Amino acid sequence: TTSSASIELYDKSAELEQKDADPTFYERVWLASGWQGGRVQRAELRLRDKCLVYTDGTNLRDPMTLCDAEAIDRVWQHEMSRKRLVVPTVAARRNCPTDPRWKVIQEGTWEAGAVKLEQDRRPREDAHRWRTKRNDEQLIDYAARACAMRGLTEPVRTTHELLRMVERALTRTEADALNRFTSRRAHYGARQMMWFSTEIETAKRELVGAPRKYRMKRAA
């Protein structure tokens, strides 16, 4: 997923069986958390980017925070309160009641009532370098997927060989590919100038902490 906060639900016992892994290590942890035997269904919260830092000082990039069970539970309760497993009683999911099993997951283990955190949305000082690195990773991932889908699995040893394989994976005509590349490059070039200009970055930093208003418009 592309979301900064996502949840994965899966059968942990089945995963260990599939990998032929020794469950002893996991069982010690489960027993310490009140496990009484039986199969384990796991709800896994995955956070990245700006979901790792909050305005109250909670910073999940700091290894010491990861050792703070209370801080981890605050983040868990906050993020889980924004996601629900519902009982499908009506067509509109937002009007469906929360599944009782999900309420247990939302509570966590820290008894402090509802927890509200705010993500630290200050722009990164290294935003340009970070975005460039991410774009490189996406470019390589897309090239690998395109080649795999077309059965191009021979090893490559140089970037030149990689680009030649990507060329073979293209199903568009040369003229169509070049026209689309030229058009999209101009589009993204304009966006880059907009997002990376000094004036925009300065304005974004000055807005940090200012109250923000959101307005939802109903589609016509």
Side-chain angles (χ1 to χ4, degrees), residues 52-152:
L52 298 176
V53 182
Y54 298 85
T55 55
D56 71 335
T58 302
N59 183 359
L60 297 180
R61 292 192 176 98
D62 182 353
M64 294 304 296
T65 302
L66 300 179
C67 298
D68 185 345
E70 187 174 299
I72 295 298
D73 228 35
R74 283 199 305 269
V75 174
W76 175 272
Q77 291 187 40
H78 169 70
E79 294 295 342
M80 286 301 188
S81 68
R82 304 170 65 188
K83 302 181 184 296
R84 293 194 307 143
L85 177 67
V86 300
V87 180
T89 55
V90 294
R93 291 188 178 183
R94 64 178 177 274
N95 296 329
C96 294
T98 301
D99 190 301
R101 295 170 297 177
W102 193 252
K103 291 181 180 180
V104 176
I105 293 176
Q106 287 180 316
E107 291 174 357
T109 57
W110 186 48
E111 299 177 359
V115 176
K116 295 295 182 183
L117 299 177
E118 184 178 352
Q119 295 174 12
D120 187 344
R121 297 183 178 273
R122 287 177 295 181
R124 298 170 62 110
E125 295 294 337
D126 60 342
H128 187 284
R129 181 167 58 87
W130 177 76
R131 288 172 182 146
T132 301
K133 178 183 177 181
R134 185 179 63 175
N135 288 341
D136 287 345
E137 293 172 348
Q138 291 175 338
L139 178 63
I140 296 170
D141 290 347
Y142 290 150
R145 182 171 62 181
C147 292
M149 290 176 64
R150 290 158 180 78
L152 303 176

Side-chain angles (χ1 to χ4, degrees), residues 7-16 19 25-26 29-30 39-46 76 80 102 105:
I7 296 175
E8 182 170 351
L9 305 175
Y10 63 98
D11 188 327
K12 186 65 178 181
S13 299
E15 181 189 57
L16 295 177
K19 294 181 177 179
F25 169 78
Y26 295 95
V29 177
W30 297 340
R39 302 190 68 82
V40 174
Q41 308 293 324
R42 184 167 184 173
E44 190 170 286
L45 177 62
R46 297 183 178 181
W76 175 272
M80 286 301 188
W102 193 252
I105 293 176

